[in-house]
Each structure stands twice: as C-alpha cells, then as structure tokens.
C-alpha cells in the first residue's frame, strides 16, 4: 500500500500509485477544516532518510471527499487517514471518508509534530481507546489505528486499541528526530523536532511489528523504511499481514511498488511458497533443527 502523506492528496497521483502496483492507497491525513501546515524549512534529508515537520497540511474533509470518490471511481482501493482535535472531529472525518467510498479508515494518532492530535493521543492507552470507540460508533468500515514508535511499550498501546474494537493496527508512524544547522547553530526545522522516516526507521518498525504480533490478535500492517522487497519481506516475517511504503516512493518513484511485488513473487517461488500468507509471522515460530 501507499503510506499516508506521500502523494495522498491528489486522486491522480493515488491512482498512479495503484496502477504501478500498490494494492491499496492511503490518503494524506485530513481533518474537518484542513490545515496550512508549518513554515519552511519543514523537510530535510538526513542520513538514512527524511525528517519532516510539515504540520499535516491538508485541504479538509469536504475536498478530500471528492478526491476519495475520484479514486474509487477509478476502481482503486482507498483507505482514508483521518485526525482531529477531539473524538468528534475524528468521527466526522471518518464518516465523510466512508460516505465517499473509503474501504477503511486509518486513525492517525501518531503524528510527532502537531500538538494535541498526534502522539499526545498515541502515547496514552486511555486516549487511544476513547478515539477508537468514538470512530467505531460512527462508521461501519474497518478502523485501523496507526501507532507511534515513541512509546515505552507499543504492546500496551496496541492492546488498548484492540480492546476498544480496532480492526487492525498500522505500525509505525515516524520517530521523533532533530537536525541542527552547523553554520547557524540552530535547529534546521522551523518546528524544531520532526518525524524520521526511511531506512533508518526500518529496524524500529521490524521490532514494533514483531512485538505487536505477540500482543494482539488483530492484523498488523507494517510500515517504516521499506526500500525494496527484502525490507517488505522482513516486516511480513515479523508478523505484518500487509505493508505500506512511503519515503521510498519519494526518492525512487512509484515504480518501487512493481519492483517490490516482483521481488516478493520471485522469493516465494524460489522458496516453494504457494502464498505470501505462508511467510507472515514466520519469525515467531520455533525453528526445527535436524
Ligand atoms: C513527507 C511525509 C508526510 C507524512 N504524512 C503523514 C500523514 O499525513 N499521516 C500519517 O499517518 N503518516 C504520515 N507520514 C508517515 C508515513 O505514512 C510512514 O508512517 C512513515 O514515513 C514511515 O514509513 P516510510 O519510512 O516508508 O516513509 C508521513 C511521512 C512523510 C515522509
């Protein structure tokens, strides 16, 4: 799947990602009235990935309603990522997404750079439970909760989401990071701290998916630093039932989906697997040695 925040505001670009091999696309996170986002610099390349503090710029739910319907009309599976400053706003955005044809909603409770709507919720099992329950009361489509790695126990948060009725979990959103301009002696990002994505995040994502798989029964969707089919396979083996790709689409283009699909297909054939389902979570099984 195309991860949230990358090409996810324009229906044309989401359709292009699907035509290039993404099984589903996730929209940019949106709320009721939209947001302008933060001043620049809001994005910087660092060793092993990107740091961003965009501030969730989005056009708001009414404009996203049109983009989602256009993606659906093109026959593409679309999941809407939503957020809000209170439970009602999460529910309202989710309702609009469902009406527009989104097949599921993903709750962004894990943005590291917008106060009140992101990790403040995602770091609290109680708040995660409240938001999930509110959205579950408002929509009939599956509700996926996207978690932050910036917690002491991601298992505890995952269990709270499951207990509140979440249908699946996505792990992970970006991890808090920071970069400093050596000439100016000042933080590079206008928002000071940002979210780290890309290859540097990958081992953290593998660890989070592995731990969640041990803690919950609902499906886990793996996301974080996938650059090629090997990274995707690693998250599947850790327990992910599906995976999302974000940053790699930014630096390698939408062709990355096709490459990942081809690489996975070849691996499965070489190892005599009939279905990708057979590798999901195999890292948890006890190895039998001769
Ligand atoms: C520029 C940018 C914007 C993002 N915007 C969102 C967003 O709006 N909502 C969200 O849930 N995640 C957002 N993310 C996080 C990604 O969906 C993903 O969880 C994270 O980047 C890790 O995956 P990756 O290493 O493949 O990019 C964004 C990431 C980037 C790099």
């Amino acid at each position: 799947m195309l991860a949230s925040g990358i090409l996810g505001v324009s229906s044309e670009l989401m359709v292009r990602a699907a035509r290039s091999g993404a099984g589903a696309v996730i929209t940019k996170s949106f709320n009721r009235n939209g947001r302008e986002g933060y001043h620049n610099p809001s994005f910087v390349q660092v060793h092993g990935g990107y740091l961003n503090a965009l501030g969730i710029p989005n056009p708001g739910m009414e404009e996203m309603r049109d983009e989602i319907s256009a993606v659906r009309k093109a026959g593409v599976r679309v999941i809407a990522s939503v957020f809000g400053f209170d439970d009602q706003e999460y529910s309202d955005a989710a309702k609009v997404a469902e009406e527009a044809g989104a097949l599921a909603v993903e709750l962004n409770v894990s943005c590291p750079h917008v106060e009140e709507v992101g990790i403040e919720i995602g770091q609290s099992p109680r708040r995660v439970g409240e938001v999930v329950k509110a959205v579950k009361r408002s929509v009939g489509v599956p509700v996926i909760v996207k978690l932050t790695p910036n917690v002491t126990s991601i298992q505890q948060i995952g269990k709270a989401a499951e207990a509140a009725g979440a249908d699946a979990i996505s792990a992970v959103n970006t991890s808090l990071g920071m970069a400093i301009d050596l000439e100016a002696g000042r933080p590079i990002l206008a928002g000071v701290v940002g979210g780290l994505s890309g290859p540097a995040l990958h081992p953290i994502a593998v660890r989070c998916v592995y731990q969640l798989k041990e803690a919950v029964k609902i499906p886990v969707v793996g996301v974080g630093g996938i650059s090629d089919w090997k990274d995707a396979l690693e998250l599947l083996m850790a327990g992910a039932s599906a995976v999302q790709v974000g940053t790699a689409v930014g630096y390698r283009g939408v062709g990355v989906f096709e490459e990942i699909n081809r690489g996975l297909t070849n691996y499965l054939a070489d190892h005599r697997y009939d279905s990708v389902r057979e590798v999901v979570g195999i890292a948890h099984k006890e190895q039998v040695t001769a």
Side-chain angles (χ1 to χ4, degrees), residues 62 75 103 176 213 233:
E62 285 312 324
L103 300 182
L176 272 171
K213 184 71 184 170
L233 181 63

Side-chain angles (χ1 to χ4, degrees), residues 3-6 28-29 43 50 52 54 56 81 106 108 110 146 172-174 197-198 201 223-226 244-248:
S4 179
I6 293 89
K28 171 78 190 165
S29 297
F43 190 89
Y50 295 146
N52 90 81
L54 300 182
I56 330 187
S81 172
E106 186 179 80
N108 181 358
S110 43
K146 184 164 177 188
V172 288
N173 207 318
T174 54
S197 64
L201 182 63
V223 49
I226 295 181
Q244 302 174 5
V245 186
T247 297

Side-chain angles (χ1 to χ4, degrees), residues 109 118-126 128 148 150-151 156-157 176:
V109 292
I119 53 180
E120 284 83 354
I121 299 175
Q123 289 175 336
S124 157
R126 179 182 60 80
V128 167
T148 170
N150 290 120
V151 287
Q156 188 193 12
I157 309 288
L176 272 171

Side-chain angles (χ1 to χ4, degrees), residues 13-238:
L13 293 177
M14 287 189 267
V15 170
R16 200 192 305 164
R19 302 272 187 265
S20 307
V25 296
I26 304 173
T27 68
K28 171 78 190 165
S29 297
F30 62 89
N31 65 328
R32 192 184 290 131
N33 296 323
R35 282 171 58 86
E36 282 202 359
Y38 294 146
H39 295 298
N40 286 325
S42 57
F43 190 89
V44 61
Q45 192 154 4
V46 293
H47 287 307
Y50 295 146
L51 266 183
N52 90 81
L54 300 182
I56 330 187
N58 78 91
M61 64 187 187
E62 285 312 324
E63 239 180 78
M64 287 307 291
R65 182 198 293 275
D66 298 339
E67 298 301 325
I68 293 168
S69 341
V71 178
R72 277 308 288 152
K73 281 198 190 100
V76 169
R77 295 181 199 92
V78 56
I79 295 171
S81 172
V82 299
F83 72 97
F85 287 85
D86 54 36
D87 300 358
Q88 190 60 48
E89 189 174 3
Y90 270 95
S91 301
D92 290 351
K95 189 95 203 116
V96 165
E98 180 178 52
E99 286 164 9
L103 300 182
V105 291
E106 186 179 80
L107 308 183
N108 181 358
V109 292
S110 43
C111 175
H113 47 75
V114 178
E115 275 173 29
E116 293 174 56
V117 301
I119 53 180
E120 284 83 354
I121 299 175
Q123 289 175 336
S124 157
R126 179 182 60 80
R127 285 295 295 127
V128 167
E130 286 168 359
V131 172
V132 171
K133 279 188 191 147
V135 176
K136 281 297 284 181
R137 276 196 297 270
S138 319
V139 297
V141 292
V143 174
I144 307 166
V145 186
K146 184 164 177 188
L147 300 186
T148 170
N150 290 120
V151 287
T152 308
S153 165
I154 199 160
Q155 293 172 299
Q156 188 193 12
I157 309 288
K159 281 182 181 162
E162 182 177 52
D167 297 282
I169 288 169
S170 295
V172 288
N173 207 318
T174 54
S175 184
L176 272 171
M178 187 174 167
I180 291 173
D181 181 323
L182 301 186
E183 294 306 321
R186 302 277 311 143
I188 292 180
L189 295 174
V192 182
V193 296
L196 175 69
S197 64
L201 182 63
H202 186 66
I204 295 172
V206 174
R207 183 267 298 174
C208 289
V209 168
Y210 188 90
Q211 289 184 327
L212 284 166
K213 184 71 184 170
E214 307 235 301
V216 299
K217 294 199 171 56
I218 52 178
V220 180
V221 178
V223 49
I226 295 181
S227 301
D228 57 23
W229 66 269
K230 290 181 189 161
D231 298 330
L233 181 63
E234 206 178 350
L235 282 171
L236 293 169
M237 288 182 165

